[in-house]
Amino acid sequence: MTNKEIKKDIRRNVISYLKETDKYSAEIELLKSLFQSTEWQQADSIGVTLSMDHEVSTENIIRFALIENKKVYVPNCDYKNKTMDFVRFHSPSDLYKDEKGILAVKHPTEVNNEIDLLLVPGLAFNREGYRVGYGGGYYDRFLSSFKGQTASVILDAQLMKIPVDDFDQPVHKIITEKRIITGVRR
């Protein structure tokens, strides 16, 4: 099997697992570890996805960041050019579902691609910080020039052996409900 085929199988299996798993108690542990991390405490700006139903929820991450007066930025994808920028999030009332059915900010006014801490989503990760996303390459392209801190909050079951391609970009830190792993990103 090619790396592309293996990643496709991983995506299918992990999405199925996440849809069937009660994540509530694990998410509490994830949030505790994230909010106690130095990266979180030192960050004035946070980049975070608006999670889909099967993913670890980012709703409370966003809420807590706003309570702490951190600036929150969420991805805004240009599907035609396969690029992504981070735009300021103020309120859930600013959101709509884009052409792919993904939550996005209706009228983005402030773009910031130099976020202090970027929480990178993914379906599967290895212990070196590399990930399998949804296959569009948006985060790998973005991370190839991103200079800030990166972390991912995932369930421990999402850690596994994955194929790594030349264009893949790792994260600095992986936080699960059971452990914190420092990646290889420099």
Side-chain angles (χ1 to χ4, degrees):
M1 285 178 87
T2 66
N3 280 358
K4 187 174 183 176
E5 293 167 327
I6 294 168
K7 288 180 178 184
K8 185 177 179 181
D9 281 349
I10 289 171
R11 283 184 196 99
R12 187 183 70 251
N13 292 334
V14 173
I15 289 171
S16 176
Y17 168 80
L18 291 173
K19 285 180 176 179
E20 297 169 6
T21 301
D22 179 12
K23 298 177 274 305
Y24 181 75
S25 59
E27 286 176 353
I28 291 170
E29 294 305 315
L30 290 170
L31 294 181
K32 281 186 208 174
S33 295
L34 174 63
F35 298 152
Q36 291 171 359
S37 72
T38 302
E39 294 86 356
W40 177 271
Q41 292 176 5
Q42 292 178 350
D44 291 322
S45 58
I46 306 291
V48 61
T49 59
L50 299 160
S51 56
M52 293 183 271
D53 290 341
H54 64 273
E55 296 175 313
V56 168
S57 176
T58 58
E59 184 178 336
N60 287 323
I61 294 171
I62 293 168
R63 268 194 196 132
F64 194 67
L66 293 172
I67 288 168
E68 288 194 329
N69 291 316
K70 295 181 186 294
K71 292 181 179 179
V72 175
Y73 296 87
V74 297
N76 183 32
C77 293
D78 176 341
Y79 297 118
K80 181 179 177 190
N81 295 310
K82 291 197 170 243
T83 60
M84 177 176 69
D85 289 307
F86 280 81
V87 298
R88 184 82 181 264
F89 172 91
H90 294 282
S91 163
S93 64
D94 297 340
L95 301 177
Y96 79 107
K97 285 198 176 183
D98 70 12
E99 64 194 70
K100 302 269 186 184
I102 297 171
L103 287 174
V105 174
K106 279 183 215 167
H107 306 289
T109 56
E110 181 184 337
V111 175
N112 180 2
N113 290 331
E114 296 178 13
I115 302 156
D116 297 327
L117 174 61
L118 179 59
L119 299 177
V120 180
L123 293 168
F125 289 78
N126 68 17
R127 294 181 56 82
E128 289 75 41
Y130 288 93
R131 56 185 270 287
V132 172
Y134 288 93
Y138 291 90
Y139 272 88
D140 288 318
R141 279 190 290 282
F142 187 85
L143 290 172
S144 69
S145 62
F146 182 69
K147 304 289 186 235
Q149 291 294 308
T150 58
S152 294
V153 289
I154 63 168
L155 301 181
D156 206 67
Q158 290 175 264
L159 283 170
M160 60 188 69
K161 184 177 178 187
I162 60 170
V164 176
D165 292 307
D166 291 340
F167 54 82
D168 290 337
Q169 299 291 320
V171 296
H172 290 108
K173 184 178 275 190
I174 298 169
I175 300 171
T176 80
E177 73 276 21
K178 296 180 180 177
R179 54 188 150 172
I180 297 174
I181 300 168
T182 302
V184 296
R185 186 172 174 83
R186 304 221 188 299

